[in-house]
Amino acid sequence: MLTIDQLSLQLPVYASWWKREWTTCLDKLSLHFSAGEVHAVVGASGAGKSLLAYAMMGLLPTPARLNGQLYYQGSPLDRPRQRQLRGRELALIPQSLNALDPLVRTQRQVAWAAQRSGQPSKSARHAAQLALDHYQLDARAQQAYAHELSGGMARRVLTAMAHVSQAQLVIADEPSVGLDPHQRQRVLAALRELADQGKTVILITHDLRHALPIADRVTIMRHGKQVETAAASAFQGNGDSLTAVYSQALWQALPDNSFSIRGTRKAQQDIQKEANVA
Amino acid sequence: MRLTALIAKRLVRLALVLLCVALVSFGLMMASPIDPIDAYLGPQMAQVSPEQRALIAQRWGFDESAAIQFGHWLRQLVSGDLGWSHVYNQPVSEVIGQRFQRSIILLGSAWLLSALLGFSLGVAAGAKEGSKLDNAISTYAFITASTPAFWLAILAVLLFSVTLGWTPTCCAGPTGILSQEVTLLSRLHHLVLPVTTLALLGIATITLHTRARMLELMRSAVATHAFAQGASRLDVAWRHGLRHASLPAMTLAFASLGELFGGSILIEQVFAYPGLGQATVAAGLRSDVPLLLGIALFTALFVSVGNLIADSLYAVIDPRIQSGGL
């Protein structure tokens, strides 16, 4: 459905106010996301996960150097096409809860999202109502302002706003941050449900453990590079079916695997060596 | 119960503000080098003997100490009497009433114009940073924000009234006609130039503040999220921008009421417009203490009420702000 071919991104950094340097944030990424799958993109903070999301949506800041190609359903996805498809075909569940307008009631914001996806205002209001009910936001939450919502409710509002657009590709940027296990389950289950409806879900997270139960495939990122893309089923046992040392180390570092990075220093060296080769 | 307590609190605060304004103004008048009796007599000063002067001083109560004079004034004020203006030879309340009727048209239209135009220009400029429209509006706003109002007024009179002859040079109506007989059209004709110059002053500051808030919003997570939903720049500016930018614009519009009063004193002087501003200057120059105190109180009341309205409206627009604090 969405194919990324040799995507590189550079952003300016000002060493001093007159001196501009370019730092590489994404380095020759090649990925394919297919319909009906939850594809988790996992990496540490600063790995470039959110920038990848913005690059796919066409929401990067203006002074950015983007190389490589994006294809959506076979044809190139350039800026004008991204602008045209945003909200209709492509949806983003943003990482920050500040993305909700503090001055507008929940219900109205969801209705706006529906309108922006091209639905006439009357059916948009109806669609918003359905989406809000679907995510179990009661009448009080619907009439509330953002600061009156709990973290979990705000997340569900953001999810509802992506859901209401009926987009075929949903990018969820760290949707489970700051939620208790129960709430997290609900948010992640909602994403799985979208994929089961035939949509493509890209789940961006730093926590491999939360991604695995719902993901079909997992891409591990490190320092803007793609370390490995593997089926979620490859993350089992000792992680021997994973090809990259870094992904193995990530897997073994999970509490369920008793934090068993074998020979930590050795692993560190191997990861470094691997990065140098790539 | 909570509401009445709130209103009572606000009223007490307002009364304190007014008392302070009265005290300070009175103190300043006492320190003024202009002798009210000299100012009253004018050129006839030389023909009046010291005994007669003493008689006038006694009749007006100037022979008593400042504190007692203030006490007299305060007692009369409480009973609803603002005193007698010797400059206009009328009760102070009447002078203020008549003058304010003319000033409020000038002030009100200038205020409305600067608030609406300033806000619209600010939103238009801030919606797209660095666009041609933004550059044009910002340049205009920076230039007018740093231009003194009276100087602009003098230039305007020179150009439009003297050179081009489009507008009258003075007053609220044609000279030699009773104010009751001046037609509406003529009144408006006399208002055009003062209102425009006075509004220009307010437009610039409101534009700059609105624009700053707009820029902030257009870079915020809210705007990015809206763009991700497929919103156009116009959509974001209209639905999110207007709300967010109206907060600073409104605060500024109401807070600038005082500035507007100050500006109107200069503007009325330049255009010889017989409003409250001109009366203030006359009262100050001729040491008309009751009139000046009356105007000071009235202005303070006007500005305080403006701020009160701004406070209340703030809570209406921004749900995060709870009204109630002092």
Side-chain angles (χ1 to χ4, degrees):
Chain A
M1 188 173 229
L2 184 81
T3 307
I4 298 175
D5 187 21
Q6 294 284 307
L7 189 77
S8 293
L9 170 70
Q10 288 179 308
L11 289 178
V13 176
Y14 288 84
S16 42
W17 62 267
W18 70 91
K19 207 166 148 196
R20 184 157 80 166
E21 286 165 1
W22 293 89
T23 177
T24 302
C25 301
L26 296 177
D27 199 0
K28 293 185 189 133
L29 293 181
S30 292
L31 285 165
H32 178 74
F33 306 103
S34 7
E37 76 163 351
V38 174
H39 192 131
V41 176
V42 180
S45 299
K49 308 182 300 283
S50 293
L51 283 173
L52 175 64
Y54 285 129
M56 288 188 278
M57 294 293 291
L59 292 172
L60 288 168
T62 358
R65 283 184 184 165
L66 196 64
N67 288 305
Q69 278 295 326
L70 293 167
Y71 299 93
Y72 182 74
Q73 286 176 336
S75 34
L77 186 60
D78 50 6
R79 277 221 161 208
R81 186 145 178 256
Q82 276 170 329
R83 196 174 308 140
Q84 192 192 338
L85 294 183
R86 270 201 301 258
R88 291 163 193 265
E89 294 281 320
L90 315 173
L92 173 72
I93 304 173
Q95 179 174 0
S96 166
L97 296 181
N98 292 335
L100 291 174
D101 191 325
L103 307 185
V104 182
R105 289 182 200 278
T106 303
Q107 193 179 36
R108 186 175 255 201
Q109 291 198 55
V110 181
W112 284 356
Q115 267 179 42
R116 284 163 178 164
S117 73
Q119 304 171 37
S121 68
K122 207 167 192 179
S123 67
R125 234 170 299 146
H126 182 65
Q129 194 58 50
L130 287 181
L132 285 162
D133 290 340
H134 182 78
Y135 289 99
Q136 286 146 30
L137 291 152
D138 58 17
R140 243 176 91 192
Q142 292 178 15
Q143 288 304 313
Y145 290 100
H147 73 285
E148 297 164 338
L149 298 172
S150 73
M153 285 162 130
R155 281 275 164 229
R156 277 183 280 150
V157 172
L158 288 174
T159 315
M161 288 171 86
H163 179 105
V164 84
S165 66
Q166 296 171 346
Q168 290 306 303
L169 183 110
V170 178
I171 305 170
D173 194 355
E174 300 276 13
S176 60
V177 167
L179 298 183
D180 64 55
H182 177 64
Q183 295 275 7
R184 188 168 54 228
Q185 283 305 319
R186 282 169 81 173
V187 169
L188 293 176
L191 293 177
R192 182 69 246 176
E193 190 186 78
L194 288 176
D196 291 341
Q197 290 165 9
K199 297 176 180 179
T200 308
V201 176
I202 301 174
L203 170 63
I204 291 174
T205 177
H206 63 267
D207 202 330
L208 183 60
R209 195 164 35 136
H210 299 149
L212 285 178
I214 64 157
D216 298 303
R217 287 195 297 153
V218 178
T219 292
I220 306 281
M221 279 179 74
R222 181 170 186 260
H223 296 338
K225 290 190 176 117
Q226 178 182 356
V227 175
E228 177 170 13
T229 298
S233 55
F235 292 85
Q236 59 172 342
N238 283 334
D240 290 334
S241 49
L242 294 166
T243 51
V245 187
Y246 182 65
S247 356
Q248 282 175 4
L250 267 186
W251 167 245
Q252 286 158 7
L254 292 184
D256 297 342
N257 305 330
S258 12
F259 308 102
S260 64
I261 301 186
R262 285 159 298 174
T264 310
R265 185 173 292 166
K266 172 85 172 35
Q268 287 279 335
Q269 286 167 355
D270 286 349
I271 290 169
Q272 204 51 54
K273 215 185 289 167
E274 188 177 77
N276 291 340
V277 171
Chain B
M1 185 55 218
R2 229 186 106 252
L3 192 68
T4 33
L6 186 75
I7 292 172
K9 208 154 74 174
R10 289 263 159 104
L11 282 179
V12 168
R13 194 168 56 148
L14 183 62
L16 281 176
V17 168
L18 292 183
L19 187 68
C20 287
V21 168
L23 261 174
V24 171
S25 322
F26 188 77
L28 285 174
M29 287 305 277
M30 286 294 116
S32 159
I34 301 169
D35 182 51
I37 300 171
D38 284 351
Y40 171 66
L41 293 173
Q44 285 146 7
M45 204 171 13
Q47 303 160 12
V48 176
S49 70
E51 290 79 21
Q52 283 171 304
R53 292 180 61 96
L55 209 64
I56 297 174
Q58 196 200 357
R59 179 146 170 66
W60 284 0
F62 287 143
D63 54 345
E64 289 173 283
S65 76
I68 292 173
Q69 288 184 38
F70 189 69
H72 279 309
W73 177 80
L74 208 60
R75 203 170 313 132
Q76 274 199 310
L77 179 71
V78 172
S79 64
D81 184 5
L82 276 170
W84 186 272
S85 157
H86 69 72
V87 171
Y88 293 98
N89 218 7
Q90 264 180 318
V92 167
S93 47
E94 262 177 43
V95 177
I96 293 180
Q98 288 168 0
R99 296 273 162 163
F100 183 65
Q101 271 180 22
R102 290 204 204 93
S103 276
I104 189 66
I105 304 173
L106 174 65
L107 279 173
S109 29
W111 182 76
L112 260 183
L113 204 69
S114 61
L116 293 180
L117 222 60
F119 181 63
S120 321
L121 286 178
V123 169
K128 191 158 190 203
E129 189 181 1
S131 65
K132 279 197 183 112
L133 186 67
D134 178 29
N135 287 340
I137 292 175
S138 304
T139 311
Y140 156 79
F142 278 121
I143 290 175
T144 41
S146 45
T147 310
F150 69 89
W151 181 73
L152 201 69
I154 292 171
L155 286 190
V157 171
L158 271 180
L159 179 62
F160 295 107
S161 304
V162 178
T163 310
L164 296 173
W166 290 351
T167 51
T169 46
C170 99
C171 317
T175 39
I177 293 180
L178 283 174
S179 64
Q180 291 89 338
E181 291 164 12
V182 181
T183 57
L184 182 71
L185 200 70
S186 167
R187 267 178 215 278
L188 289 178
H189 190 204
H190 282 80
L191 266 172
V192 173
L193 215 50
V195 166
T196 317
T197 25
L198 196 54
L200 276 179
L201 190 76
I203 288 176
T205 39
I206 292 182
T207 300
L208 289 174
H209 279 83
T210 309
R211 176 179 175 271
R213 186 72 192 84
M214 274 302 277
L215 292 189
E216 202 184 307
L217 176 91
M218 297 306 281
R219 293 192 199 120
S220 71
V222 171
T224 313
H225 188 208
F227 287 130
Q229 292 161 31
S232 63
R233 200 166 266 281
L234 189 71
D235 182 350
V236 178
W238 181 255
R239 280 176 166 156
H240 301 282
L242 281 189
R243 280 163 216 265
H244 285 257
S246 64
L247 291 172
M250 216 174 50
T251 325
L252 213 69
F254 282 100
S256 70
L257 274 179
E259 232 171 280
L260 213 61
F261 254 108
S264 82
I265 292 181
L266 291 169
I267 297 286
E268 287 184 9
Q269 210 55 26
V270 173
F271 289 100
Y273 190 85
L276 208 54
Q278 216 191 28
T280 316
V281 175
L285 287 181
R286 295 171 63 184
S287 236
D288 191 340
V289 181
L291 181 58
L292 202 72
L293 286 183
I295 293 176
L297 277 190
F298 183 76
T299 316
L301 185 74
F302 196 80
V303 173
S304 302
V305 169
N307 285 337
L308 210 71
I309 295 174
D311 278 356
S312 321
L313 280 180
Y314 225 94
V316 172
I317 295 184
D318 193 337
R320 289 168 298 181
I321 293 166
Q322 296 293 316
S323 56
L326 245 182

